Every structure is written in structure tokens, then in C-alpha cells.
Amino acid sequence: MGFQIAIDGPAGAGKSTIAKMTAGRLGYVYVDTGAMYRAMALFLMRAQVDPEDTQAVSGKCEEADITIRYENGEQVVYLNGENVNGLIRTQEISNMASLTSKNPGVRKKLVSLQQKLARDADVVMDGRDIGTCVLPDADVKIFLTASSRVRAERRYKELTQKGTDCDLDAIEKEIIERDHQDMTREISPLQAADDAVFVDSSYMTIEEVAQVIMEKADSVR
Ligand code: DC
């Protein structure tokens, strides 16, 4: 078993930026578990499965073979042999993934894949249930959050920089809805592990957040 750093928290808190940065500094593998739920959502959407139909989702997800490869230091998600990295970052997939990640069949399948990845390497893994469910014995557990307004502002900036027209209030509303869905689902809801370090990044720089994690890792390594 390698060294494990688990980073959980809501969408837009900065998990992936921070996880990627710390993994790079430590020479660990970064595992983006959200990308796996997104790839599964893409599969189910293409199959036109009703995300609210538990039985249908459970049955169909068995046909999705999701694998991860590391190419030039980047995580590439393969869905039945197809590289889907460029297809899973849309709003439509975000919404579908939020619904289908509730499904016990989907979670069972992806959690076991995530545990396998952590068995063979030192990892920084980010998601919603890493410290509570996927890697309950992780060496470092971080719960990274930020206010919904700040998270909406970050997303708004990202979108307007890309030239996309958007509305700040609408983005915040969507974030609040997605948080609610992620926090109130029955299986593996988004919640901080008892032994997690709670970090509110609303008024912290990326570097300051990275420092907190590096110091915590240094103290237990
Ligand atoms: O972090 P993200 O936005 O890429 O995650 C996509 C969806 O997958 C989101 O609705 C939460 C869900 N998810 C999950 O349930 N468990 C994880 N470990 C990671 C993501």
C-alpha cells in the first residue's frame, strides 16, 4: 500500500487544481475520481438510460468498462476503449453524473477501480467519498470547501474567459442544487471524515491551500 492523500469536497472548491499540484510536487499519481463518474454518465446518457431509474442504471452500468491510463503525466479516462477526456466536462454531463453517481451499482464498480489504483502507487485522490469510503485509512485527509458564492465566481470567471456568456446567480443556484444532491444522497453522501482537516479556501490562494496539505503530509510521512 502506498502513501495516500484523500481530498474531498464540493464542486468548485479547487480540489482538482490542488490535488494535481500536490501530486506533482510529491511525485505521486493524481487520481480524479469525478472523471470516472463523468465517463459513466456519458455512457448512460448515450444509452438513453433514465438517470432516475435505479434498476436500469444498475443493469446498464455493468456494460461500461472504465479504465484509467497515465499518458504524459495526465490521467486519461477510457470508456470501452475510447478516450473520453474531451467529452466529459460539459454542463450536461455534470448534471447527469450528479444523478447517476447516486446509484449503488455505479458506486460499487468505480470504488473498486479506485481502490485498485491506490494499491499500487502513492496517490493524491480527489472526490466526494475518498476519506470516508474509498480510502478510509488514508494517511492525510483533507475536506476542501469554499462558499457557494466564491465557487460560482470562480466558475463564472473561467467561463467568461473562454468567451461563454453566463449568469453568476444562475451558476450559484446550480452549485447549490448540486451540493444538495451530493450531500443528501443515501449512499456515500458528501461529508467530511471525522479525521479530516477542514480547509475553507474562500479567501485563500492556491499556494496557501497547497502549503496546508504539504505540511500535513510532511508531518505524517
Ligand atoms: O468532481 P466532479 O464535478 O468531476 O464530479 C462529478 C460528479 O460525480 C459529481 O456530481 C459528484 C460525483 N462524484 C461522486 O459521487 N463521488 C466521487 N468520488 C467523485 C465524484
Side-chain angles (χ1 to χ4, degrees):
M1 198 67 83
F3 195 86
Q4 300 174 342
I5 300 181
I7 304 181
D8 290 302
K15 295 187 302 295
S16 61
T17 306
I18 292 296
K20 221 178 278 177
M21 187 186 258
T22 21
R25 287 187 189 173
L26 293 163
Y28 291 3
V29 172
Y30 165 50
V31 183
D32 171 4
T33 63
M36 300 179 197
Y37 287 94
R38 287 170 179 274
M40 181 62 88
L42 174 65
F43 174 77
L44 295 165
M45 187 181 284
R46 281 174 171 174
Q48 299 187 331
V49 174
D50 173 1
E52 302 286 0
D53 184 340
T54 309
Q55 292 260 311
V57 172
S58 280
K60 196 70 189 171
C61 81
E62 290 304 321
E63 294 169 29
D65 179 32
I66 292 173
T67 52
I68 298 290
R69 266 181 249 153
Y70 293 91
E71 296 171 5
N72 306 317
E74 284 285 315
Q75 170 181 295
V76 182
V77 187
Y78 284 88
L79 170 61
N80 294 333
E82 174 192 357
N83 175 345
V84 294
N85 270 25
L87 303 174
I88 56 177
R89 301 285 162 200
T90 65
Q91 196 54 49
E92 210 185 0
I93 293 291
S94 296
N95 295 340
M96 183 75 173
S98 186
L99 293 172
T100 55
S101 61
K102 282 191 288 196
N103 188 274
V106 168
R107 300 208 73 84
K108 186 159 171 254
K109 194 171 168 130
L110 296 182
V111 167
S112 111
L113 174 62
Q114 291 152 13
Q115 289 172 334
K116 216 177 290 160
L117 289 168
R119 212 169 291 148
D120 309 320
D122 295 322
V123 292
V124 180
M125 193 178 281
D126 76 353
R128 304 293 188 286
D129 60 336
I130 311 305
T132 51
C133 166
V134 182
L135 306 176
D137 298 321
D139 302 278
V140 175
K141 295 182 187 179
I142 306 289
F143 193 82
L144 184 62
T145 186
S147 71
S148 60
R149 194 63 179 179
V150 167
R151 288 185 283 137
E153 282 165 1
R154 289 176 184 166
R155 181 81 185 133
Y156 178 84
K157 208 169 139 198
E158 213 176 87
L159 288 170
T160 36
Q161 270 169 3
K162 275 195 232 161
T164 313
D165 206 19
C166 55
D167 177 71
L168 183 61
D169 289 331
I171 294 175
E172 186 180 12
K173 189 163 165 269
E174 204 149 344
I175 283 177
I176 292 171
E177 266 166 32
R178 212 142 75 89
D179 282 358
H180 181 74
Q181 245 173 57
D182 291 346
M183 291 189 302
T184 56
R185 69 181 178 214
E186 245 167 80
I187 310 171
S188 303
L190 168 64
Q191 63 183 190
D194 292 338
D195 50 350
V197 179
F198 190 89
V199 181
D200 183 337
S201 76
S202 299
Y203 303 103
M204 288 170 86
T205 63
I206 292 168
E207 186 53 41
E208 284 167 343
V209 177
Q211 274 308 318
V212 171
I213 300 175
M214 295 296 284
E215 276 164 25
K216 180 72 188 162
D218 283 344
S219 74
V220 294
R221 276 204 299 168

